[in-house]
Amino acid sequence: MSEIPAKATESEDSSGGPRTEAADGLSSGDAPSGDAMWQSSPPGSMYDYIKVASFSIGPDGLVDQWSLRAEQLFGIPADRAVGMDPIAAFVASDRREQGQRKMAEILDGREWTGVVPFRLPDTVARDERDREGLAEVYVMPTRTEEGEKAAVCIVVDVRTLRRIETDLAASQAIFGQSPFGFLLIDPDLRVRRANQRFASIFGGTPDDHRGKGVHDYLPRGEAERVAATLRRVLETGDSITDMHVTGFVPGSDERRHWSVNLYRVHSGSGRPIGIAWLGTDITARRAAAREAAAARRNLALLNEAGARIGNSLDLETTARELLDVVVPGFCDLATVDLYQGLLAGDETPPGLADGSAEVRRVAFASAVSDAPFDGAVERVKLGAVHHYAFNSPWADALRTARPQTVPGEDGGLVQSTLAVPMVAHDTVVGLAQFARTKGSEPFGDRDRDLAVELAARAAVCIDNARLYRREHERALILQRSLLPPGDPEASGLDIACRYLPGNAATGRTGEVGGDWFDVIELPGHRTALVVGDVMGRGLRAAVAMGELRTAVRTLAQLDLEPAEVLSQLDEIARGLGAPGGVQQATRAARRPREADLSEVYLATCVYAVYDSVTRRCTFANAGHLPPVLVEPGEPALMLDVPPGMPLGVGGEPFEEVEVELPEGSLLALYTDGLVESRDHPLDEGLQAFVGALTDPSRPSPGHHSSTTAPRADTQPNLEDVCDHVLNTLDTHHGEDDIALLMARIQGLPAESVGDWTLPREPRSVGRAREYARAQLIGWDMESLVDTTELLVSELVTNALRYGEGEIRLRLLLDRTLVCEVWDAGLVQPRRRRARDTDEGGRGLQLVGLLSAAWGSRRTPRGKTVWFELPLPGADTPLTDPAEALLGLF
C-alpha cells in the first residue's frame, strides 16, 4: 500500500459527511503501531454518531469554506453558504448585536466555545418546534496564507449530543441495574464489560471480569460448546434464544443451570463490535420442571396402573400386571412375594405379625438382567417358597407395614432397592421390591410415595383375587356337595356320570354355575333320573340349584308323576325370588311394578322315571335339551320329548312321554355346556354329540355319520363312553358347566319278578303267604320267609279291610327284596300309635319295625303299599319277628 501524507484527509461516510480515515486495528481498541495507523478502515468512530460539521470564516467575517456536514446540519448548500454572514444567517435578530461582538473577538484572535441558538431553514425543519436549533460551536482562530486573521468553526448539534447522553445513561442504567447477568463480549471472545449482577454471582467487581473468556467460568467441554456458539453468532448475526448452559459458581459444588440469550452488537455504521450475553439462572426452574415431569410421569404410571392392574381375578396374573407397569418405566428390576399361608387360604398364617412367615415369589421382571437383585437380595427362583430373616429390612417392612430402602452392595448390579409392603384392608399380603441399577437416578421421596401407592393398588387387587379364589372354592365345594356322591347305583341301570365346572372345562378360572344331575331311587325298583340347569352363574345360581335339587328329591319321594313333579318345581322356582315365597311371587306378577323388585330364577330340567320291571321310562321336560337314546344296533337319536317352558315362568302345563327302552340301550341326559359354544351353533354341537354316541368305540372326533353301533354283548364300558364323548366334544363346549348322565338299560329279569292277582276274599291272605313263601324258597331266600310272610299278611289284610276291588301282589328281587300290594282304593294307609288296650291298629307299626323301608303311592287306578327288606348278608340285619311283636306291647 502506498503511503499518504501525514495529515488527516476528509472524505464522506455513508451519510455524506466527512470522516477521518484511521487504521484497521483501532476498531477493537487496540493501540496502533507503525504505518498501520494510517491505513484505511471501516467507519466506526464516535463521529458517526455526533455528525460533526465544520466551516471557516474569512477575515471579512464571511463564510469562505462550507463542509458537506454543514450542509446537512443547517440545510444550506455550499454555493449559498460561501460568502454568507453567519450571524445574519443563523442568529435571531434580537441576538445579532451580541453575535457581532463575539465575531469581532474571534477575528481578533480569541478562541471561543459556546452554545449558540440558530434558526433552521424551512427546508430542514419538519415543523415549527424544529425551527429553533442549538449548536455547540468550537471556534479556533487561524490565519490565511496572507497572514490575515480568520477562524475555523467546529459545530455539533446539541440535540444530537443530548440524545447520545440520554442513550448512554439509559444503556448504563439497563446494563448496571439489570437483574440478569449481562456481558458485552468483544470479537476476540473476551469480556469487554460485565454488569453488577454477573459479578455478584461469579465474585469480584465488574472490572475484575474484563478480559476473561468462557473457559474461565465453565468446564472445558461446556466452554468449548459455548465458544463455538459465540463464534457462530459473531459470524452469522443469528441470535440465540434460551441456550442452556451448565456450570458451577465459585465456592459451591452445586451444579447450576443458566438460560442464555446471545445477539450480535453493531456500531452506528453497522459494523459488528461484539456479542451481548444475557444470562438467567434457571436452576430452580429446572428443578421445578424436573419435579413437574416426575409428577406427570408418576401420574401417568398411576393411570396406567389403574387401567392394567386387576383386570383378572388371578393372583399371579395381577402380580405380573404390576411388574408390567413399573418395569422399565419406574425401575429396572422388580419382584412380588406373597404370603404362602394366605395363598393357601389361611386367614392368619403363623409368623405373619413378625414378617418371618413363608412367602412365595409369584412374579419377577427385569429390564437389564435375568439375575434378580444380584448383590442386594438373596436369589430366589420364581415360584419358590422362602422366608426373610427376622432382622432383615425386608422382614422389618413386612412387620411394620412401612417401606424400607436397601442400599446395593459394592460391585453389585443394583444401586438401591425399595422394599414396599403390600397392604390391603389393613392386612399385609406380601412384599413388592423395586430396584434401580447403577447409573440410574436414585430413588427419591416422591418415588418412595409412588411405590407405596402402586403396591397398595396391586395389594387390593391381589386381596380381591385371593378372596374371590376362596369364595370360588367354597362355592365349588357347595356346588359339588349338592351333587350325588360317588357313583350312583340304581336297580336295572348301569350309570356313569360326569360333572365339569366351567373353569375345569376351559382351563380358565370362572364362576360356578347352576348345573346339576341326580339319581333318585323310587319304590318298586324304579329310578328317577334328573338333569337341570339354573340360568346364570355364581354363588346365586349354585344356591338356587341346591334349593331346586332338594325340592326335586322331596317331590320324588312323594312318588308323583314326572309332569306333576315339574309343575310343583315350577311353583317353587317362582317363589325363590320373592321374600314371601310363591304366593308373594304370584301377587307380584299381578302387579308389574312390584314384579320388578323380585329376582327371577329360571331353570331348565328333564325329569325321567324308569321302571326296571317294565323297562319303560316316563319323561317330562321343562325347557331342557332332549334326551338322546342309543338302541342296540341302531344309530343314536334325540327323543321327541315336548320341551315345555323353563321352570320359574309358570302358567304352562308339562307333558309326559312314555318310552319303552330295549335291553342294552343307552340313555344320555346332559346340560347345554356340553354342546353349546360361542364359536359353534347349537345344532352343530348336538349333531357332534349324537355322532359321538352313535359309535363310542371310534375315536375320530367330529364324525357325525350314523353308523351301526356295536352289539350289546360287546358294548364298551360306560365310563369309557363318557370319556370318549368329552374328548370328542372338547372343541364344542363353551365356558359353561357340563353335566352328563348316562344310563345303560338292564331290565329286571322275568325270573326275578313274582306277580299274582288275588280275589277280594278272606282266604286271599293265606294264599298270599303261600305265594310269597314259594317264591322266596325258589330264590334261595329262606331266611326272609318268616318276615315276608308276616308283612305280606298285614298288607293284604289291610287291602281287604280298607281297599277296593281285586288285590295284586308282586315280589321284586334285585339289590333288595321289594313287596308290593295293590288295590283299587284311593285312601292312603296312615300309621298310628295303638294304645295298650287296643286289639288292632298295630299292623303298619309292625311293618315299620321289620322292614328296611315302607310306604305307599297313588297309581292311575288305585294305590300301592310296599315294603323293602335287605338281602341276606347285607350290612343291615333283619329284625326278629317275635321280638318285634313283643315290642308292640
Side-chain angles (χ1 to χ4, degrees):
M1 179 180 290
S2 61
E3 294 186 0
I4 61 174
K7 159 183 172 180
T9 60
E10 189 178 63
S11 61
E12 293 185 4
D13 64 2
S14 60
S15 59
R19 70 165 184 253
T20 301
E21 295 180 354
D24 290 338
L26 296 178
S27 62
S28 61
D30 297 335
S33 63
D35 294 339
M37 179 176 183
W38 303 105
Q39 294 178 3
S40 175
S41 66
S45 69
M46 285 295 296
Y47 295 105
D48 292 335
Y49 296 95
I50 299 176
K51 307 295 184 184
V52 177
S54 64
F55 63 91
S56 61
I57 301 174
D60 56 359
L62 301 178
V63 175
D64 63 357
Q65 287 186 353
W66 191 258
S67 69
L68 293 177
R69 285 279 179 88
E71 286 186 7
Q72 292 178 351
L73 179 63
F74 295 106
I76 298 175
D79 56 352
R80 287 179 51 196
V82 174
M84 182 185 297
D85 182 358
I87 303 301
F90 301 113
V91 179
S93 58
D94 57 341
R95 297 180 180 176
R96 286 177 182 172
E97 183 178 354
Q98 182 181 3
Q100 292 296 342
R101 290 196 302 269
K102 292 293 184 183
M103 180 60 70
E105 295 177 356
I106 293 170
L107 293 176
D108 194 34
R110 185 177 176 180
E111 190 174 299
W112 180 83
T113 301
V115 178
V116 177
F118 66 92
R119 184 177 182 81
L120 293 172
D122 294 341
T123 57
V124 176
R126 292 190 298 268
D127 52 36
E128 188 62 30
R129 292 175 299 177
D130 291 337
R131 298 185 68 83
E132 293 292 334
L134 208 65
E136 187 170 298
V137 182
Y138 302 89
V139 181
M140 295 168 285
T142 188
R143 289 183 184 272
T144 65
E145 293 181 356
E146 291 79 10
E148 296 180 303
K149 295 180 178 180
V152 175
C153 299
I154 304 298
V155 182
V156 177
D157 188 351
V158 173
R159 293 179 304 174
T160 301
L161 293 176
R162 297 292 181 267
R163 186 169 61 250
I164 293 175
E165 180 182 15
T166 302
D167 291 346
L168 288 174
S171 176
Q172 179 63 30
I174 294 174
F175 196 87
Q177 300 174 18
S178 172
F180 311 114
F182 214 148
L183 297 177
L184 180 61
I185 300 175
D186 64 21
D188 294 330
L189 305 187
R190 296 289 178 181
V191 175
R192 175 60 62 85
R193 189 176 181 185
N195 71 342
Q196 184 60 44
R197 176 61 178 170
F198 184 86
S200 67
I201 296 175
F202 287 92
T205 65
D207 292 338
D208 294 336
H209 297 276
R210 292 182 184 272
K212 292 185 176 182
V214 291
H215 289 81
D216 296 319
Y217 302 101
L218 300 174
R220 180 179 179 85
E222 189 75 343
E224 293 293 341
R225 183 180 69 89
V226 174
T229 304
L230 291 173
R231 293 190 192 95
R232 187 170 66 252
V233 172
L234 191 62
E235 293 171 359
T236 65
D238 297 333
S239 61
I240 299 294
T241 303
D242 195 25
M243 179 180 72
H244 287 192
V245 178
T246 303
F248 301 89
V249 297
S252 174
D253 294 334
E254 179 186 2
R255 185 180 295 273
R256 307 298 293 273
H257 302 273
W258 293 277
S259 173
V260 177
N261 297 326
L262 302 174
Y263 59 91
R264 192 169 67 181
V265 180
H266 304 84
S267 67
S269 61
R271 181 178 60 87
I273 61 174
I275 303 169
W277 170 300
L278 182 63
T280 305
D281 192 331
I282 60 171
T283 304
R285 190 173 75 190
R286 282 283 297 270
R290 286 197 304 270
E291 292 290 321
R296 288 193 297 270
R297 181 198 66 184
N298 294 350
L299 182 60
L301 275 175
L302 289 175
N303 290 337
E304 186 180 5
R308 297 180 61 181
I309 299 176
N311 292 323
S312 69
L313 289 173
D314 180 73
L315 293 170
E316 290 77 7
T317 301
T318 303
R320 287 194 298 269
E321 289 169 348
L322 169 63
L323 302 194
D324 290 341
V325 171
V326 300
V327 177
F330 177 70
C331 61
D332 300 317
L333 302 100
T335 64
V336 174
D337 296 330
L338 299 180
Y339 275 121
Q340 178 67 10
L342 294 179
L343 294 176
D346 297 338
E347 295 296 332
T348 55
L352 183 61
D354 62 12
S356 62
E358 289 186 336
V359 293
R360 177 158 58 92
R361 181 146 298 175
V362 297
F364 163 70
S366 171
V368 294
S369 173
D370 290 333
F373 300 97
D374 186 16
V377 178
E378 178 186 358
R379 294 181 181 223
V380 177
K381 294 183 179 180
L382 187 64
V385 177
H386 64 105
H387 66 86
Y388 295 109
F390 178 78
N391 57 352
S392 66
W394 305 280
D396 187 58
L398 291 170
R399 181 168 54 251
T400 62
R402 295 178 181 176
Q404 300 290 328
T405 301
V406 184
E409 294 183 357
D410 295 337
L413 173 68
V414 174
Q415 173 183 244
S416 63
T417 302
L418 284 177
V420 183
M422 306 182 71
V423 183
H425 312 299
D426 298 328
T427 301
V428 179
V429 299
L431 183 72
Q433 297 183 74
F434 310 106
R436 289 179 179 173
T437 56
K438 293 181 178 179
S440 300
E441 184 178 356
F443 288 114
D445 292 339
R446 178 174 279 107
D447 295 325
R448 186 186 183 101
D449 295 339
L450 175 63
V452 171
E453 178 65 23
L454 290 171
R457 292 194 178 196
V460 171
C461 296
I462 287 175
D463 193 53
N464 289 340
R466 179 183 66 86
L467 295 175
Y468 170 79
R469 177 181 289 185
R470 184 185 66 184
E471 294 304 318
H472 182 261
E473 290 174 353
R474 291 178 178 178
L476 283 178
I477 293 173
L478 170 63
Q479 185 183 36
R480 289 168 179 169
S481 67
L482 298 175
L483 299 174
D487 296 327
E489 294 182 358
S491 177
L493 294 175
D494 181 14
I495 295 178
C497 53
R498 292 290 186 274
Y499 179 81
L500 296 178
N503 59 325
T506 63
R508 295 188 297 268
T509 302
E511 291 185 298
V512 296
D515 294 19
W516 90 92
F517 68 91
D518 211 343
V519 178
I520 308 170
E521 291 192 76
L522 301 179
H525 290 305
R526 294 174 305 127
T527 304
L529 303 176
V530 188
V531 170
D533 183 5
V534 176
M535 297 182 185
R537 301 188 61 78
L539 192 58
R540 171 182 175 271
V543 172
M545 176 269 285
E547 296 190 42
L548 292 178
R549 177 180 179 271
T550 302
V552 169
R553 295 188 71 88
T554 302
L555 294 172
Q557 294 303 323
L558 296 178
D559 215 346
L560 302 177
E561 296 297 324
E564 182 63 21
V565 170
L566 292 186
S567 296
Q568 296 295 327
L569 204 60
D570 178 60
E571 294 287 333
I572 294 172
R574 284 194 295 152
L576 290 178
V582 66
Q583 296 298 328
Q584 182 66 28
T586 304
R587 297 190 188 99
R590 300 191 184 102
R591 297 189 295 272
R593 291 182 181 179
E594 295 183 16
D596 296 339
L597 302 178
S598 61
E599 292 185 276
V600 178
Y601 287 82
L602 298 178
T604 62
C605 181
V606 169
Y607 185 85
V609 175
Y610 168 70
D611 190 335
S612 62
V613 178
T614 62
R615 294 199 312 275
R616 302 190 68 83
C617 188
T618 305
F619 296 92
N621 191 355
H624 204 80
L625 295 174
V628 175
L629 178 65
V630 184
E631 297 185 11
E634 299 292 336
L637 56 89
M638 288 182 286
L639 295 178
D640 187 13
V641 178
M645 299 298 292
L647 302 175
V649 174
E652 295 293 332
F654 297 97
E655 300 182 38
E656 293 181 355
V657 172
E658 189 175 64
V659 178
E660 183 174 352
L661 305 179
E663 182 75 21
S665 59
L666 183 65
L667 178 67
L669 305 178
Y670 53 96
T671 57
D672 56 1
L674 181 66
V675 296
E676 191 174 25
S677 169
R678 63 181 63 182
D679 300 326
H680 302 85
L682 177 61
D683 290 344
E684 181 179 338
L686 288 172
Q687 290 301 320
F689 179 49
V690 170
L693 287 176
T694 295
D695 188 0
S697 62
R698 178 170 41 85
S700 160
H703 186 73
H704 301 161
S705 63
S706 298
T707 59
T708 303
R711 295 186 309 172
D713 55 352
T714 62
Q715 288 181 351
N717 183 275
L718 206 54
E719 297 290 338
D720 296 336
V721 175
C722 289
D723 293 337
H724 170 73
V725 169
L726 292 178
N727 293 333
T728 302
L729 303 183
D730 183 61
T731 59
H732 290 275
H733 63 69
E735 296 182 356
D736 201 359
D737 296 351
I738 294 175
L740 175 62
L741 177 61
M742 305 187 93
R744 178 167 288 135
I745 306 303
Q746 297 174 349
L748 203 61
E751 58 271 15
S752 297
V753 178
D755 194 349
W756 305 273
T757 301
L758 303 173
R760 190 171 189 79
E761 57 186 28
R763 60 182 180 179
S764 293
V765 176
R767 192 172 300 170
R769 288 197 298 267
E770 293 176 0
Y771 291 152
R773 172 182 287 273
Q775 187 65 64
L776 289 176
I777 293 174
W779 287 340
D780 294 330
M781 297 289 173
E782 289 84 355
S783 59
L784 300 180
V785 170
D786 294 340
T787 303
T788 303
E789 280 188 314
L790 179 59
L791 298 185
V792 165
S793 177
E794 291 293 337
L795 294 186
V796 173
T797 299
N798 284 343
L800 290 173
R801 184 176 299 177
Y802 305 108
E804 299 178 6
E806 62 180 3
I807 301 170
R808 184 179 179 184
L809 172 64
R810 191 167 68 165
L811 292 179
L812 308 174
L813 179 63
D814 193 49
R815 292 180 296 114
T816 60
L817 175 66
V818 175
C819 176
E820 296 178 337
V821 175
W822 176 89
D823 68 86
L826 299 177
V827 179
Q828 295 291 322
R830 182 173 61 88
R831 182 178 177 179
R832 64 183 181 86
R833 182 174 295 277
R835 294 189 296 252
D836 292 343
T837 56
D838 291 342
E839 295 183 359
R842 297 180 177 85
L844 294 181
Q845 286 184 264
L846 186 61
V847 173
L849 287 173
L850 295 178
S851 65
W854 77 280
S856 65
R857 66 178 184 274
R858 285 191 173 88
T859 62
R861 294 182 298 276
K863 67 175 182 297
T864 298
V865 184
W866 57 271
F867 67 84
E868 184 176 341
L869 296 177
L871 299 183
D875 295 337
T876 304
L878 288 173
T879 303
D880 183 57
E883 294 181 359
L885 288 173
L886 293 176
L888 295 177
F889 298 93

